[in-house]
């Protein structure tokens, strides 16, 4: 890292007013990143599904399962502890690099060690109960790409998150999804093998990492070796916090990847392909949670650091309500037109329509769960977060095996949804007690509004989608469902008259500029 650039003023060092502006700016880029990425990824999902077919997509789900499993198990949650430390430092401060580089070294070492275990177990599973030995080699290539490339990117994202660098995260992540799309489409001219998708995944890791290395120089300066050695001595302090999150990370890893492995063992590859494409689209909603929570978390840390309970309540309320209304619009309308939406991917995918509807609700709830969880971490209560993740995972895995046995992929999606309903209910009660001592009414009104609006929106969209020829049913059902949702949500008080007035005024000012 060159150190001759001018330091960038750090948002965390700003005053309370600037701090709130920083959160709004970061949330704005988080929303932009979510929208841009979901548009590109949806287009990519449709195009790759049509180019490669349901069987290859099913194989790709199994190839990437070890990588996604490694993500969950190869962390001591050290990045969360790092963000918590960096959120109150100025950019390019020597302490930023002093903590970042030791954490990066720890992360790389841990990831490599766990990757060996995951590789052995995944190869045994693919050769054994899953019965797809030809997928072992591409799965190992993707796994290696994560260890050497993507894991570095994830650590750099901790720096961006700490400084609410939404713009930098936006470009880095957009680079990855665009690179995957172009590479996957280009390789299709050579073959329709799952190897093409595996190589596209690894090459997209490389493109994204390059972008991050260029942009992180604004926040991370060259650090003398003596400072890095001092950072190594500070690692135990960070790990005391992060280690309390490890049991939750393990439990979450088991529950998040359980559906792919169980469906692969209990059903056929076409079922896995249909479910994985439905889940692959639905999980894009969860991306909104990651984008927003990585902006909200440092803000919560600052609020807690300055003992600003009012600011914490206002920021969290703004975040929860601002996320819930559009996300459950997507969930209710998207679930209603699930059949038409999945048919776009090609033959065999529409069979996952009901599972898709359930997954959209579940992943919308993951966003709310993530954002409420930032409070527990900011307040120094990692064991609370861990306990809730374990409870959620027990519910998911406990229901998934009998659910798949009885209802196939719908049972898997239903179990996942049930786990997050329980999780959000408990988190909501705790947040009400610890943050919203008063002023929780607006959050509850929004929660009620999205439920009251979501049910008829889903019903209208589903009725139209199933009664008209496609793609007319998809288009008309989507528009009608969205209109119903907006009208009912406004009537139910999801957004107050004063909030609507302020939103219109703010939009007018931006348009004028």
């Amino acid at each position: 890292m060159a150190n001759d650039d001018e330091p960038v003023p750090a948002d965390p060092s700003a005053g309370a007013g600037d701090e709130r502006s920083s959160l709004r700016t970061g949330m704005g880029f988080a929303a932009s990143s979510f929208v841009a990425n979901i548009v590109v990824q949806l287009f990519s999902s449709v195009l790759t599904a049509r180019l490669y077919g349901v069987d290859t997509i099913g194989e790709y789900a199994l190839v990437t399962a070890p990588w996604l499993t490694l993500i969950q198990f190869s962390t001591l949650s050290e990045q969360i502890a790092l963000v918590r430390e960096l959120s109150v430092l100025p950019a390019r401060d020597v302490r930023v690099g002093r903590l970042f580089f030791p954490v990066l070294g720890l992360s790389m070492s841990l990831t490599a060690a766990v990757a060996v275990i995951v590789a052995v177990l995944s190869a045994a599973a693919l050769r054994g109960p899953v019965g797809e030995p030809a997928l072992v080699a591409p799965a190992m290539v993707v796994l290696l790409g994560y260890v050497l490339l993507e894991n570095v990117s994830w650590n750099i994202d901790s720096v961006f998150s700490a400084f609410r660098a939404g713009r930098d995260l936006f470009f880095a992540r957009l680079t990855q999804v665009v690179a995957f799309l172009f590479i996957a489409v280009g390789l299709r001219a050579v073959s329709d093998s799952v190897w093409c998708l595996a190589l596209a995944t690894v090459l997209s890791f490389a493109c994204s990492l390059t972008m991050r290395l260029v942009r992180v120089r604004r926040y991370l300066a060259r650090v003398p070796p003596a400072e890095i050695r001092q950072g190594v001595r500070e690692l135990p302090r960070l790990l005391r916090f992060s280690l309390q999150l490890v049991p939750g990370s393990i439990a979450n890893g088991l529950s998040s990847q359980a559906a792919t492995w169980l469906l692969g063992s209990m059903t056929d590859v076409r079922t896995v392909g249909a479910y994985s494409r439905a889940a692959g689209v639905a999980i894009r909603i969860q991306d909104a949670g990651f984008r927003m929570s990585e902006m909200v978390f440092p803000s919560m840390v600052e609020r807690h650091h300055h003992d600003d309970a009012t600011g914490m309540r206002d920021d969290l309320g703004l975040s929860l309500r601002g996320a819930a209304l559009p996300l459950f619009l997507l969930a209710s309308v998207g679930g209603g037109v699930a059949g038409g939406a999945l048919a776009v991917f090609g033959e065999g995918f529409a069979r996952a329509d009901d599972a898709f509807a359930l997954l959209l609700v579940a992943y919308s709830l993951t966003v709310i769960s993530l954002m409420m969880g930032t409070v527990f971490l900011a307040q120094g209560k990692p064991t609370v977060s861990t306990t809730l993740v374990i409870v959620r995972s027990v519910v998911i895995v406990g229901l998934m095996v009998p659910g798949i046995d009885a209802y196939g992929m719908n049972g898997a999606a239903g179990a996942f949804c049930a786990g997050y309903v329980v999780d959000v209910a408990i988190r909501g009660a705790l947040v009400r007690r610890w943050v919203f001592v008063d002023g929780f009414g607006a959050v509850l009104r929004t929660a009620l509004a999205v439920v009251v609006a979501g049910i008829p929106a889903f019903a209208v969209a589903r009725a139209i989608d199933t009664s008209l020829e496609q793609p007319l049913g998809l288009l008309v059902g989507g528009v009608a469902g969205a209109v119903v949702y907006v009208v009912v949500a406004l009537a139910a008080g999801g957004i107050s008259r004063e909030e609507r007035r302020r939103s219109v005024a703010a939009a007018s000012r931006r348009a004028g500029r």
Side-chain angles (χ1 to χ4, degrees):
M1 306 289 174
N3 60 0
D4 54 352
D5 297 330
E6 287 297 320
V8 177
D11 290 335
S13 64
D18 292 334
E19 178 185 27
R20 186 168 179 80
S21 175
S22 170
L23 175 62
R24 289 183 182 275
T25 302
M27 289 285 286
F29 273 107
S32 299
S33 176
F34 168 66
V35 172
N37 278 271
I38 198 171
V39 169
V40 176
Q41 288 172 334
L42 283 174
F43 179 72
S44 177
S45 297
V46 172
L47 191 56
T48 54
R50 286 194 166 273
L51 288 174
Y52 287 92
V54 67
D55 291 322
T56 300
I57 295 300
E59 291 174 346
Y60 181 63
L62 294 171
V63 163
T64 54
W67 156 42
L68 299 175
T69 301
L70 177 61
I71 290 174
Q72 303 296 332
F73 289 103
S74 63
T75 178
L76 298 177
S77 299
E78 63 275 9
Q79 287 89 356
I80 295 175
L82 178 64
V83 172
R84 195 166 181 263
E85 293 287 328
L86 300 187
S87 295
V88 294
L89 298 178
R92 295 181 62 82
D93 188 285
V94 69
R95 291 169 293 177
V96 176
R98 185 170 74 195
L99 294 174
F100 170 76
F101 288 109
V103 168
L104 174 62
L106 173 66
S107 177
M108 292 292 292
S109 302
L110 177 64
T111 301
V114 177
V116 174
I117 300 173
V118 172
V120 172
L121 296 177
S122 300
L126 289 170
R127 289 193 177 101
V130 177
E132 295 288 343
L135 300 183
V136 173
M140 296 305 105
V141 169
V142 172
L143 206 63
L144 183 63
Y146 173 75
V147 173
L148 299 178
L149 301 171
E150 180 70 351
N151 184 56
V152 180
S153 292
W154 277 41
N155 281 275
I156 293 174
D157 285 355
S158 299
V159 178
F160 292 143
S161 174
F163 295 106
R164 270 71 111 211
R167 184 193 303 271
D168 300 288
L169 288 167
F170 171 83
F171 285 112
R173 287 164 176 164
L174 186 62
T175 297
Q176 183 164 338
V177 295
V178 171
F180 174 82
L181 171 60
F182 278 95
I183 296 169
V185 172
L187 290 176
R188 178 60 182 84
V190 178
S191 170
D192 63 354
S193 166
V194 71
W195 269 105
C196 296
L197 295 175
L199 292 175
T201 300
V202 175
L203 292 173
S204 71
F205 291 165
C207 294
S208 180
L209 175 58
T210 301
M211 175 67 74
R212 285 173 167 90
L213 290 173
V214 171
R215 303 187 75 91
V216 78
R217 295 169 58 193
R218 303 178 67 240
Y219 310 97
L220 186 61
R222 187 186 299 276
V223 181
E227 291 290 342
I228 295 178
R229 288 193 292 271
Q230 175 61 31
V232 172
R233 289 192 287 270
E234 294 183 37
L235 268 181
R237 176 174 59 83
L238 272 68
L239 292 179
R240 278 195 293 273
F241 177 87
S242 63
L243 283 172
Q244 298 175 68
L245 298 170
V246 171
S249 296
I250 295 173
N252 187 61
L254 290 171
S255 62
S256 65
Q257 296 305 309
T260 298
W261 291 111
L262 290 173
L263 285 170
S265 301
M266 300 171 67
T267 63
D268 54 67
V269 71
R270 291 179 67 84
T271 299
V272 176
Y275 181 88
S276 69
R277 185 52 71 205
V281 175
I283 202 173
R284 300 280 73 84
I285 290 180
Q286 191 180 51
D287 289 350
F290 291 132
R291 306 293 182 265
M292 294 177 186
S293 65
E294 66 188 0
M295 298 294 111
V296 175
F297 177 47
S299 177
M300 294 294 103
V301 172
E302 274 194 286
R303 297 297 193 186
H304 181 68
H305 180 75
H306 295 297
D307 199 24
D308 183 6
T310 300
M312 178 177 282
R313 184 188 66 228
D314 291 346
D315 281 357
L316 185 61
L318 169 71
S319 304
L320 288 174
R321 298 178 65 229
L325 285 163
L327 288 176
F328 283 93
L329 166 63
L330 288 174
S332 56
V333 177
V337 297
L342 292 175
V344 174
F345 292 94
E347 185 273 329
F349 291 102
R351 60 190 295 197
D353 56 349
D354 292 331
F356 183 54
L358 289 167
L359 288 169
L360 286 172
V361 174
Y363 281 115
S364 296
L365 291 173
T366 68
V367 176
I368 306 303
S369 174
L370 280 167
M371 297 177 77
M372 289 193 290
T374 62
V375 173
F376 310 142
L377 300 180
Q379 292 180 334
K381 299 173 180 176
T383 53
V384 173
S385 180
T386 295
T387 301
L388 293 176
V389 173
I390 292 174
V391 169
R392 180 183 74 213
S393 300
V394 168
V395 173
I396 291 173
V397 177
L399 294 177
M400 193 165 286
V401 173
I404 292 174
D405 187 56
Y407 303 106
M409 68 177 81
N410 293 337
F416 196 72
C417 188
Y420 273 96
V421 168
V422 173
D423 175 271
V424 168
I426 298 174
R427 287 174 190 256
L430 294 177
V431 167
R432 166 68 177 85
R433 178 180 178 183
W434 292 338
V435 179
F436 292 98
V437 179
D438 52 41
F440 197 53
V443 176
L444 289 177
R445 282 195 303 273
T446 300
L448 179 63
V450 298
V451 173
V452 171
I455 293 173
F458 171 84
V460 168
R462 177 58 65 93
I464 295 174
D465 181 65
T466 55
S467 61
L468 297 179
E469 293 291 330
Q470 297 299 341
L472 185 62
L474 170 63
L475 298 175
V476 176
V479 172
V483 170
V484 170
Y485 180 93
V486 171
V487 170
V488 177
L490 290 175
I495 302 177
S496 68
R497 183 179 291 106
E498 177 62 21
E499 288 172 330
R500 293 198 296 271
R501 186 193 64 78
R502 289 201 302 266
S503 297
V504 170
S508 299
R509 288 194 300 271
R510 286 194 295 269
R513 289 197 296 269

